[in-house]
Amino acid sequence: MSLAIAANALTMIFCMAVLVQSVRMMRSLRTVKDGALTEVVTALEKATTGARSVLSEMKATLGTDCAQHARLVEQARELRDELEVMTGIADAACERIVGAVSIANAIRSAEAEVAEDEALEPQAEAA
């Protein structure tokens, strides 16, 4: 058997395999064309309709909820600003109180030193 005959035989086998596969593919395409494709299109149409209704509901919900949340955020910001002012006032008052207490403590300790000095002077004169 020569090389040419072997190549021809192999080519015939491949051609037969292609013919068999073509017949199988034609049957599959005919099946899809007859029933399965219309079912798929119908299912896709139903899914698209459902998705549109859900999206419209979400759009309406987000339209009202987002506006409400924006108002709440604005109110929260206003409260935050008021709290910052109140905190600043409280800090300033605390600083004034601490200053007054330290001045009062300094005056008290100075008075105590003067009282001790006065108490020690008569004893020093007596000695």
Side-chain angles (χ1 to χ4, degrees):
M1 182 156 53
S2 72
L3 184 61
I5 295 175
N8 285 339
L10 187 60
T11 303
M12 286 190 292
I13 292 172
F14 284 142
C15 287
M16 293 294 286
V18 167
L19 287 174
V20 169
Q21 191 63 21
S22 296
V23 170
R24 289 179 60 202
M25 190 169 35
M26 290 299 291
R27 285 182 188 161
S28 296
L29 287 174
R30 195 173 298 124
T31 303
V32 168
K33 180 182 154 189
D34 291 342
L37 187 60
T38 56
E39 292 173 8
V40 169
V41 170
T42 304
L44 283 174
E45 184 65 31
K46 287 180 184 177
T48 303
T49 304
R52 282 186 183 148
S53 68
V54 168
L55 284 175
S56 65
E57 290 174 7
M58 285 178 65
K59 207 179 211 181
T61 302
L62 288 175
T64 57
D65 286 353
C66 286
Q68 183 179 8
H69 289 302
R71 285 191 301 272
L72 289 174
V73 167
E74 187 59 34
Q75 289 174 350
R77 285 183 180 148
E78 291 172 2
L79 285 174
R80 181 197 62 198
D81 293 341
E82 289 179 22
L83 287 173
E84 285 178 354
V85 169
M86 292 171 70
T87 304
I89 292 169
D91 285 343
C94 286
E95 288 175 8
R96 280 187 245 135
I97 290 171
V98 167
V101 167
S102 62
I103 290 171
N105 286 338
I107 291 172
R108 204 176 297 144
S109 65
E111 288 175 355
E113 287 177 10
V114 169
E116 282 180 17
D117 288 343
E118 289 177 0
L120 290 177
E121 280 181 18
Q123 290 176 359
E125 290 176 8

